[in-house]
């Protein structure tokens, strides 16, 4: 579309008084959608859970862990397409008036890659509105199982990427991160090395976010710079792909990735398929999709002095960064709101699914009993400490369960309640230790904003407040990535005439959920030091 035509389409949509915005989140366990009104209030939310509603794909926690080598973690790409069919039907059953949706944006679990077969773009352009998407896109993927962020099978490719630019420090300086197994660059390199024919037959490569966007757009959508900085391929200062890194992964990669765009970019109008099948307004705009953590940053409306802690399938800690910095543990990503600033991100793989395992083992599968056990033990847990890594952890790079009493390591704690507290305290001690190592100030004046599925749990939030010795706040709506995508839909539509700051100015403030107990610093500051020394010893072994 020409600039003039684009501007007039924007104008027409903006004049619709009761317009709405659609925000999607293709997360690890669930595909989520919300419809927001013009005041950014949530009108409707619908979900499709992969394990329970698409049992034919046999995922556990939304993923398939290879039985022969549990470092390989993938998702059948077509499952996500089928989930989108189901989500759209659910929105229709809820009586959503698709004609009022002025713009749509989305978020996706970060780092996962989708491999589009040659001719897939043709298929996307010519989808018939009388058939389901999953029927028509079933042969569109050259690699049928997408590697996702839980994968840790690419240590060899990580080494190659770091060597290509002169070491981990240099890679971190260019891309914001040293090489990480789950990052898309090493995942793409592994596909090239292990499935050369599939790589050759791949016309385009999307991230999970830009894949979802491509379906809505009816053509391959660009990768946005914020999710793009989770690939170890993008120069976070110039916002361009780094040719040396592309070459280290596979041939013709620049062509397969296409040019990256700012996250708020208007990338086109909704495809004919959605106009005809669901009666979307022909002027409905599609705004670039981004990663779930960048989308959460938007949805949580973070200000300076705030640290976000997301307790979803993965646990993450993130915050707004004015300037990029080079760190070896953690990531610097481009910011989804403004391409001149950045965000810091720490990711811990063993989040909710590990908490669920201990809940099932110690609390009969009940969060209420889990909380009772947690609350029946004192802060500091009588000197017991536990580290639980069901799958290969990122920070620190460890796997397995490790338990310690005051006097040294043990294979079993004396009671279920000690185990529950050891898990939750151990998870937050790790977050505080790595946040401090990143240079994040924790303590006086710090405020924590919690989100994600487990942020509904007051007992867990209390431990978070105590370990960080900081108050914890929450929004009523815990799905901040989905909400952030809805905000981005409006932001992308109205930019530059309305800034993100102006857009969110009147929205309600977060609510205080927990305050730290007065003895929190005295108990947990020495425990953070003990955690560091335990981890140092475990890594050395
Ligand atoms: P994702 O977006 O990564 O798919 P969510 O943010 O939707 O994940 O969180 C899902 C997780 O929330 C579930 O795995 C579950 O363990 C956790 N969860 C839901 N309710 C509670 C609760 N009351 N206490 C602790 N965890 C909870
Ligand atoms: C972030 C990360 C995860 C995924 C899934 O680096 O790997 O948080 O985005 O949520």
């Amino acid at each position: 579309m020409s600039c003039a035509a684009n501007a007039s389409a924007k104008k027409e949509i903006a004049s619709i008084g009761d317009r709405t915005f659609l925000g999607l989140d293709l997360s690890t366990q669930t595909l989520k959608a919300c419809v927001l009104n013009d005041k950014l209030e949530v009108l409707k939310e619908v979900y499709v859970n992969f394990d329970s509603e698409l049992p034919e794909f046999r995922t556990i926690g939304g993923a398939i862990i290879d039985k022969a080598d549990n470092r390989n973690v993938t998702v059948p790409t077509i499952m996500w397409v089928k989930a989108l069919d189901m989500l759209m039907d659910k929105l229709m059953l809820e009586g959503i008036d698709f004609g009022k949706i002025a713009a749509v944006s989305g978020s996706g679990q970060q780092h996962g890659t989708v491999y589009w077969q040659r001719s897939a773009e043709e298929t996307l352009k010519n989808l018939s509105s009388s058939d389901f998407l999953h029927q028509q896109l079933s042969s569109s993927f050259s690699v049928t199982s997408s590697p996702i962020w839980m994968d840790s099978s690419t240590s060899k490719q990580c080494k190659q990427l770091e060597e290509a630019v002169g070491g981990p420090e240099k890679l971190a300086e260019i891309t914001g991160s040293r090489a990480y197994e789950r990052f898309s660059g090493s995942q793409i390199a592994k596909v090239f090395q292990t499935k050369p024919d599939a790589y050759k037959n791949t016309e385009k490569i999307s991230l999970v976010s830009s894949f979802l966007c491509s379906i809505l757009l009816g053509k391959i959508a660009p990768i946005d710079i914020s999710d793009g900085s989770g690939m170890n391929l993008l120069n976070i200062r110039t916002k361009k792909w780094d040719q040396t890194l592309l070459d280290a992964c596979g041939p013709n990669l620049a062509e397969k990735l296409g040019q990256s765009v700012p996250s708020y970019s208007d990338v086109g109008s909704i495809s004919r398929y959605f106009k005809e099948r669901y009666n979307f307004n022909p002027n409905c705009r599609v705004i670039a999709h981004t990663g779930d953590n960048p989308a959460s940053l938007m949805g949580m409306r973070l200000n300076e002095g705030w640290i976000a802690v997301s307790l979803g399938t993965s646990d993450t800690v993130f915050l707004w960064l004015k300037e990029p910095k080079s760190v070896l543990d953690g990531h610097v990503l481009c910011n989804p709101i403004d391409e001149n600033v950045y965000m810091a991100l720490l990711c811990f793989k063993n989040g909710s699914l590990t908490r669920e395992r201990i809940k099932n083992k110690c609390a009969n599968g009940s969060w209420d009993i889990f909380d009772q056990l947690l609350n029946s033990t004192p802060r500091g847990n009588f000197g017991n400490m536990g580290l639980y890594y069901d799958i290969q952890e990122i920070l620190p790079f460890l796997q397995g369960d490790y338990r310690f009493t005051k006097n040294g390591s043990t294979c079993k704690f004396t009671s279920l309640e000690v185990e529950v507290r050891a898990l939750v305290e151990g998870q937050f001690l790790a977050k505080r230790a790595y946040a401090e190592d990143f240079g994040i100030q924790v303590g006086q004046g710090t405020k924590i904003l919690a989100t994600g599925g487990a942020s509904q749990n007051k007992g867990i939030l209390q431990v978070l407040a105590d370990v960080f010795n900081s108050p914890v706040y929450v929004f009523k709506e815990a799905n901040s990535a989905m909400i952030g995508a809805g905000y981005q839909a409006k932001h992308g539509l109205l930019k530059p005439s309305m800034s993100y700051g102006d857009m969110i100015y009147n929205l309600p403030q977060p609510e205080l959920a927990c305050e730290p107990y007065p003895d929190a610093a005295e108990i947990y500051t020495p425990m953070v030091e003990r955690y560091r020394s335990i981890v140092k010893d475990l890594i050395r072994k």
Side-chain angles (χ1 to χ4, degrees), residues 25 27-30 32 149 292 310-314 352-353 355-356 359 367 371 451-457 460 478-479:
D25 176 30
S27 77
T28 312
Q29 302 190 53
T30 312
K32 308 169 186 169
W149 66 276
D292 55 357
S310 172
L311 304 169
T313 311
S314 62
S352 280
L353 298 178
R355 287 187 287 274
E356 277 181 35
K359 173 195 69 162
W367 286 122
D371 282 5
T451 185
S455 68
Q456 303 161 49
N457 187 313
I460 292 177
N479 288 309

Side-chain angles (χ1 to χ4, degrees), residues 28 108-111 149 182-183 292-293 314-316 331 345 347 394:
T28 312
Q109 48 175 291
Q110 295 200 255
H111 320 296
W149 66 276
R182 70 192 192 288
F183 271 44
D292 55 357
N293 292 297
S314 62
D315 284 352
T316 58
H331 318 294
L345 173 70
C347 179
I394 304 161

Side-chain angles (χ1 to χ4, degrees), residues 121 205-206 209-211 213-215 217 219-223 257 267:
E121 188 150 33
I205 299 174
S206 293
S209 55
S210 62
F211 149 79
C213 187
S214 303
I215 300 179
L217 203 53
K219 62 180 185 202
I220 307 297
I223 292 174
L257 295 177
V267 292

